[in-house]
Amino acid sequence: MLIALLISPFIAMQFTVEVVWDWFDFAVAAVLLAGVGFAIELAFRFINRPASRRVAIAAIVSVGIVIWLQGAVGLI
């Protein structure tokens, strides 16, 4: 799944000049996506109550999105 998410900007770079990523951008995206996935995996393993697990996963995904947006357009 991680490779599929990282290959889409690479393919987009072949067809448009609006997507310009270098190796550092791909590395940061890989670390961010892998970190979010790892944190979600930890939430599944260590949080037993379903409601708490959903809240934790929503928080993890939300933080990942905010970090992505900050890196992309400087949201904050």
Side-chain angles (χ1 to χ4, degrees):
M1 183 69 166
L2 179 64
I3 298 298
L5 289 172
L6 290 176
I7 215 161
S8 59
F10 180 74
I11 293 171
M13 286 175 30
Q14 309 306 314
F15 296 106
T16 181
V17 296
E18 294 177 2
V19 180
V20 182
W21 283 26
D22 60 358
W23 67 270
F24 183 74
D25 297 321
F26 283 101
V28 169
V31 168
L32 177 63
L33 292 171
V36 167
F38 182 69
I40 290 172
E41 181 68 28
L42 288 177
F44 270 112
R45 288 182 187 223
F46 293 116
I47 300 175
N48 296 327
R49 292 180 32 205
S52 298
R53 185 182 296 164
R54 283 192 295 269
V55 169
I57 291 172
I60 292 166
V61 170
S62 296
V63 167
I65 289 171
V66 167
I67 292 171
W68 188 280
L69 288 174
Q70 176 61 27
V73 295
L75 182 66
I76 299 173

